[in-house]
Each structure stands twice: as structure tokens, then as C-alpha cells.
């Protein structure tokens, strides 16, 4: 029989992986705006998350960019869901 208490080996919990804080743009400058207008309509699937990932912008900026491009007629909506908007 193994004796419990202090003699038993204590479980070491892994510290977990620390994710680096993403340095995303929070404002649009001329260069970024030109990139959005030129590149985004060429993406096969356009959603807030793809813009965040590829252009390194924050979520609110990505949503505004998509709204702008849709209003200008550069992209068209495929799926409209309360949380996930998908464009092409």
C-alpha cells in the first residue's frame, strides 16, 4: 500500500502556452486604406476574421472596411448571420 499525504509525488501542472498579444492596427492610414480597396475584393472568402488575420487590423476596423466595400459595390454578401457575415 502506498502512503498518501506529503510523501506522494505532487502533480505538476503545465503552465499553459502564453499567446503573444497581437499588434493590430486600430486606425486606417492612406497605405492601409489603399491595400483594403485593392486586395480585399480579390479574396475568395471575405469575413471579419479573414481581414483581421491577413491585414492585421482590429475587429471594429475590419467590420467598417467590409461595410465600406459593400456600399461601394466592390463585394457582395453571401451569408448574413447576426454574428458572422460572409462576403465574396
Amino acid at each position: 500500500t502506498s502512503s498518501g499525504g506529503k510523501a506522494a509525488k505532487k502533480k505538476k501542472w503545465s503552465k499553459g502556452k502564453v499567446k503573444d498579444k497581437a499588434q493590430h492596427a486600430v486606425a486606417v492610414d492612406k497605405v492601409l486604406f489603399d491595400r483594403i480597396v485593392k486586395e480585399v475584393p480579390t479574396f475568395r472568402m471575405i469575413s471579419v476574421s479573414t481581414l483581421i488575420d491577413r491585414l492585421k487590423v482590429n475587429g471594429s476596423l475590419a467590420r467598417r472596411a467590409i461595410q465600406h466595400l459593400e456600399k461601394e459595390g466592390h463585394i457582395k454578401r453571401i451569408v448574413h448571420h447576426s454574428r458572422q457575415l460572409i462576403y465574396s
Side-chain angles (χ1 to χ4, degrees), residues 12-87:
K12 289 267 199 299
W13 294 96
S14 67
K15 291 289 183 283
K17 294 194 170 55
V18 178
K19 192 166 172 256
D20 291 333
K21 189 98 174 75
Q23 292 296 315
H24 290 330
V26 293
V28 177
D29 55 7
K30 183 84 176 90
V31 178
L32 183 60
F33 182 77
D34 291 342
R35 232 181 108 198
I36 288 170
V37 171
K38 198 175 96 212
E39 288 178 24
V40 174
T42 65
F43 293 172
R44 278 189 62 182
M45 190 191 91
I46 304 162
S47 69
V48 174
S49 44
T50 54
L51 260 69
I52 291 170
D53 212 37
R54 295 191 192 177
L55 299 175
K56 299 285 180 260
V57 295
N58 70 356
S60 55
L61 217 66
R63 284 192 298 273
R64 297 291 296 178
I66 286 176
Q67 282 171 7
H68 173 77
L69 290 170
E70 188 186 20
K71 202 173 79 185
E72 299 285 309
H74 295 299
I75 59 177
K76 65 177 190 293
R77 183 178 301 180
I78 299 174
V79 177
H80 179 77
H81 185 268
S82 59
R83 287 177 186 78
Q84 187 72 8
L85 298 167
I86 297 175
Y87 294 84

